[in-house]
Each structure stands twice: as structure tokens, then as C-alpha cells.
Amino acid sequence: MLTHRELANAIRMLSVDAVQRANSGHPGMPMGMADIAEVLWNDFLHHNPNNPKWPNRDRFLLSNGHGSMLQYALLHLSGYDLSIDDLKNFRQLHSKTPGHPEVDQTPGVETTTGPLGQGIANAVGMAIAERTLGAQFNRDNFNLIDHFTYVFAGDGCLMEGISHEVCSLAGTLGLGKLIVFWDDNHISIDGNVVGWFTDNTPMRFESYGWQVIRSVDGHNADAIRVAIETAQQELTKPTLICCHTTIGFGSPHKANTASAHGSPLGDEEVAAARKQLNWPYEPFEIPVEINRAFDARDRGEKLEEKWKTLFAQYRQNHPAAAKELERRWNQQLPNGFEDSFNAIIQEFSQDNTKLATRQSSQQVLEKIAPMLPELLGGSADLTGSNLTNWSGTQAITHDQADGNYIHYGVREFGMSAIMNGMTLYGSFIPYGGTFLVFYTYAANAVRMAALMKKRVIFIYSHDSIGLGEDGPTHQPIEQAAALRMTPNISTWRPCDLVETAVAWKAAIERCDGPTALLLSRQGLPAQKRTRAQTDLIRRGGYILRDVESPEYILIATGSEVSLAMAAAEALKDHRIRVVSMPSPDIFLQQDAAYRESVLPVAVTQRVAIEMGVTAYWRSWVGTLGYVIGLDHFGGSAPAKDLFEELGFTVKHVIEVIDRVRK
């Protein structure tokens, strides 16, 4: 009979062989965590390799993603569509086994990890989603949504500040089906962590409200099994299992050293490890009996079939709920949603109220949220400023899972990564707010949403020096440009209620990437449009004011659109076209004919106006044009005074137009 150690050694040696063949990678973590992984995957994990998207599967996240070969070895051995040739192709161009796990690239990978700490943050989002979806749809005798979220995390993950943010919140919310394995091996790339990581980690997590299982021998299968069983029994608190492991376990000369962390072991050491682990097989060779022991396909099919039977009974007893749940699983919007939203946009087009676009956003939410129960909102302690709530807002708390809003506290980075986890889980459209300037706290999580091409809606209010007296620490200058230059993020900066509504519609309908909505603190006038102009907003840029044979083009976004319109009105004797550009990335996706119709190449006298860095707009205005913007920080003063001081006035726009003409 095969022992747990023999099974774990298959994981170890597949990882070692793949890293050695690639001459690149991290063998130490897979060797150290193999015993834990073997017990979890073979004895506890509910999953179906034949259907990696089974809704009620347990989620497994490798937060210490540099150890990706551990996950690839597990997926291969368990029976996922990941062949031995795929493992041999580790870290190679177009392979299914990239250097760090990438969702949608490898069957069975739940999220993209690598930036340490974000995997555990994604897991918190998934655990929230599991609990909330279950609260919304489970019925007596029908626990359709009922599974665990497991995380592997290393010392590096727990050093990252984001782990403090999200684990504190997880404890506060009582996410009892979240189980984290801490790979406590005392080694990072720079060596023994005693010089830079001496936290009392168990006490830290206990202070968060977690169950902590201390001092588990990460190489003892029985101890690991008892720890997991104990974790599963505590459903009111998340659990941290502290696993003492040896990095590079089985390597005679490199185990427990930094040299096992991020480099291949080398041919001689690989041979020595084979001998020490009593693994007499050739590279990538797995004995039939070991393959058979790991194969989870039959077991997974039975688990899913049992669940399908339960769901069929659920459908008979609760047909409306079953239909709604399937709609959300399939990322389908409600029937008639688009028509209803278009009607809302037309209704808003009749409203001439002066509003800050953050207020406009709240008005949109008030209209659409009752139609979209999958909307799951929140704010990083700025609800009253971001205006991300609405009249039907119900906060999710420790005792209230069936809500639609999360008070994230002052955790911009954590909030963003948690939202990534929610959208990865499925059945929810998460949105969350903070000030635009604090986007830079969260930038890497926003980047990960873009990299994974997942629908997350980032609400960024107080989008310019227009926030006034809070001063330059709170006034964004470079943030809008940074968002626009990040691949696969769609960024909208609307000028009024109608543009805000169109931006929200685009964000909700976009399933292949995140959207950022940049919203003003100060009130903005409603612009007058024809029905045709309103229909063109969705194209990202359109002509708001036109003349025959324009001499000049003013391009503006957000609050500066009204400034451009006022300047054009003041210069009636000039032939000035005003282009509102709420979403440059969407405009650039339009066909060449449309782009030419809005910004004719022949009209070279152009001025772009935006309260941010000028570099982004220089290609839009060309060498003969001019950008009215800011290449320095703002100041603390009432917005009106700042606009005067920094040149965001009709007078200055006129002066610039004259300069361009000359």
C-alpha cells in the first residue's frame, strides 16, 4: 500500500524535474508543502477534474504563486486536462504551465497569483461570495452553495501589508469556511527571515478573530489531517493552520536554505534528492499505482452528480430561485435589462440638475441596483463621499451574510483584491469606491483585475483639484493617465448624469475586464444633447458642440467639458468644435471612419483640457496643439481659487486658443 510520503514525493519530483528542465523556477516551496498538499487534495478537497467550473467545488488558491509547479503537479496527477508534456513545457512560450499560476490559462487554476498576499486576498473575496450566495439561495434541506476555500500562503504573503488588511476583515466577518495553510519555513529569497520577520503570527491572527492551529508538523500526514478536520469544524471563524515545514525537503544539501527557493537544484542535487527520497524513477515518470491513487475524476464525478441531484430537487421545489441562480452563474443580465437601462438614460437626458458625478453615480445605482441583485458594492471607509450606497443597501456583517454592501474600512488595496476574488468566484458584479488619488495604494490589485480580464467596477470619486481644500495629498494628478495606460482597463470620466449612466451601463455589460469610473466632487452642469448625441456617448468620444468646417477642436473630459463649452460659447466668432471624451480607450476601439469624423486629421489646431498630467494628451493634439493640464501637484484652497490659480478658466482657454492660432 502506498504511503502518504510516497504520494507526496510524486509532487516533489515532478516539481523538481520541471524546474530543472526549464532551468528556471522555484523548487523549494513545492518540496516543502508537498505533504500538506497531498493530504488536502487526496483526502479533503471536493472538486471534479472533468469539470473545473463545477459551482460547488472547493476553491484552492496558491497565494505563494512562485511555487506554481506544486499546483501544476497536483492538477496533472488529479486528472485535469494538463498532460505530462505540459509539465515538461513549464515556463515556456504559450504553455499551459506559466511561471506563476494564471486563471483561464490552466484548467483548475482559480486565480492569477504571484504578487504575494493577493492570493489570500482573493480567497477572502471568494469566501465572502460563498457565504453571501449561500445566504441568498440556500433553502431548508437544500445547501446548494456549501464548500470551503483553501489557501496556501508563505512567509512572504504574511509579510505583505495586504495580508493584514484582508485577514483582519475576514476575522471581523467570521468567514468560517476560509482555511489558510501558513508555510512556516523561515526562509525567503534573502535567507532566514529571523532578520526581518519576527512577528508572533499566531497571536496576530488570534487578535483578528481567527481560529489558530499552532505548530503542525507539515511533513506528518496524520497531524495535517487532524488540523484540517479541526479547521472544518469551526464555522464561525476563519482558520490559520501553522505548518512547520522544511523548504526544499528531500534535497540533501539545499534543504532549509535560500538556495532552494528560487533556482533549479542542479543536476547533481536532483540526483541526490532522488536517492534521499527513494525515488528511483526517470524524470517525469510516475508509476501507474501512484497515478491511480491521485486520480480524482471518478470521485469528482460522483460528488458533482450527487450535487446535481440536489439541484434538480431544488429546481422542482424552488423554480424561480433556481432560474435566477443559473442566470447569475452564466453571467447573464436580466431579461429586458438593456432596454430598461436605455430608458433610464433617456429619462436622465431630460434632467437639467447640476450634480457632482459622484451624485450622478448614486442616482444611477438607485435605478439599476433593484434590477441587479448580483451587484455587491462597498467603499474603503468613504461611503458618504463616494456615494456608493443606495436606498436598498444592506451591509454584510458577521451576523448578516445576506447583504449587498461591504464596509471595507480603510483598506483600498485589500478591497480591490477582495473584489477580484468575488468576480472570480462568479455570480456577483462587485464595485467599490475610494478617492481617485488612493488608487495608487491599490494599483497592483487593479492591474491584476486587468491581467485576468475580470469584471470589477472601481469607483474613484474626488477626481481632480476640484476637491479643493484637502490639498495636494488628496488631489489626483497622474492617476487618470496611469489607469488609461494600463492594458485592458476601461476608464470613464463622465461630465454629467447622462454620461455617468452610459459609463455604468458599459461597465456592467463588459465581461472581459475591469472598468474605472472617475467622478467629481464638485457639481457639474447638465449638457444639452440630441438623441443622436446621447446614443454616441457609448463610443467613448463624440461631438458635443459642432460648427461647419471647424478650425479648432477642444477635447475635454469630466468636469472640464463644461469649461470647454463655455470657452467655445465665448468665442462664437471662431469655428470651434467641442469633443467630449469620457472614455479614450473606448473611442480608440471605434472604426477609423468614426474616429476621423470626430477628430479629423486635417484639423490640427487642437486643445485638450484635463486637470491631470499633460503627457497623456499630447498624442491627441499633435505637435501643433496644446494641452491645458497639470504637471505639478495642486494646493490647498477652495476649488474656485485653484481653478483661477492653475489656469482652468475660460479666460485661459481663450488665451491658449489664440496661442494655437498664432
Side-chain angles (χ1 to χ4, degrees), residues 218-288:
H219 302 298
N220 183 311
D222 291 334
I224 296 163
R225 181 183 298 105
V226 170
I228 296 172
E229 289 171 347
T230 304
Q232 290 182 336
Q233 290 165 10
E234 174 55 81
L235 297 179
T236 65
K237 299 178 179 179
T239 296
L240 179 72
I241 302 176
C242 305
C243 301
H244 294 307
T245 66
T246 299
I247 191 170
F249 182 94
S251 172
H253 306 105
K254 296 189 175 184
N256 203 36
T257 70
S259 60
H261 192 294
S263 302
L265 297 182
D267 291 335
E268 290 185 8
E269 190 67 10
V270 171
R274 275 185 156 77
K275 185 176 180 179
Q276 180 153 314
L277 293 171
N278 192 26
W279 188 261
Y281 309 106
E282 294 297 313
F284 299 101
E285 181 186 352
I286 303 295
V288 172

Side-chain angles (χ1 to χ4, degrees), residues 272-319:
R274 275 185 156 77
K275 185 176 180 179
Q276 180 153 314
L277 293 171
N278 192 26
W279 188 261
Y281 309 106
E282 294 297 313
F284 299 101
E285 181 186 352
I286 303 295
V288 172
E289 61 271 22
I290 290 181
N291 268 319
R292 190 178 298 120
F294 267 104
D295 195 333
R297 287 174 290 188
D298 287 345
R299 183 170 71 250
E301 283 290 326
K302 290 175 182 176
L303 286 169
E304 185 172 353
E305 283 302 317
K306 183 179 179 181
W307 179 85
K308 283 181 176 177
T309 300
L310 181 67
F311 184 62
Q313 296 169 348
Y314 179 91
R315 184 187 281 112
Q316 287 183 339
N317 286 269
H318 307 283

Side-chain angles (χ1 to χ4, degrees), residues 380-391:
D381 205 50
L382 288 170
T383 296
S385 294
N386 302 144
L387 303 182
T388 41
N389 59 339
W390 58 286
S391 60

Side-chain angles (χ1 to χ4, degrees), residues 181-220:
F181 298 83
W182 170 33
D183 182 25
D184 181 16
N185 62 32
H186 303 292
I187 299 294
S188 67
I189 288 178
D190 279 358
N192 194 304
V193 300
V194 69
W196 49 87
F197 183 51
T198 58
D199 304 13
N200 190 326
T201 298
M203 288 185 67
R204 168 187 155 193
F205 276 78
E206 286 170 347
S207 76
Y208 293 156
W210 287 53
Q211 173 184 224
V212 177
I213 303 173
R214 299 173 179 238
S215 303
V216 175
D217 183 348
H219 302 298
N220 183 311

Side-chain angles (χ1 to χ4, degrees), residues 341 345 357-358 360-361 364 434 436 446 455-464 476 479-486 488-520 524 529 533-542 556-561 580-590 594 610 616-617:
F341 211 140
I345 292 169
T357 47
R358 60 180 179 144
S360 299
S361 175
V364 175
T434 185
L436 177 56
V446 178
R455 177 171 53 185
V456 184
I457 302 174
F458 300 103
I459 308 297
Y460 297 124
S461 70
H462 296 57
D463 69 346
S464 74
Q479 282 76 12
L483 283 162
R484 290 175 181 140
M485 290 190 292
T486 302
N488 205 47
I489 295 177
S490 187
T491 303
W492 289 78
R493 188 166 182 249
C495 75
D496 64 5
L497 174 60
V498 175
E499 285 193 358
T500 304
V502 174
W504 261 106
K505 184 173 183 288
I508 289 167
E509 292 177 344
R510 186 176 192 238
C511 293
D512 60 352
T515 299
L517 305 184
L518 281 48
L519 308 173
S520 74
L524 305 177
R529 300 177 185 84
Q533 286 175 310
T534 300
D535 290 343
L536 289 173
I537 296 172
R538 63 181 176 81
R539 305 191 75 165
Y542 64 102
T557 76
S559 52
E560 290 76 86
V561 170
S580 179
M581 191 66 67
S583 182
D585 61 279
I586 296 295
F587 179 78
L588 292 173
Q589 293 171 24
Q590 306 305 306
Y594 178 75
E610 188 173 63
Y616 178 81
W617 291 104

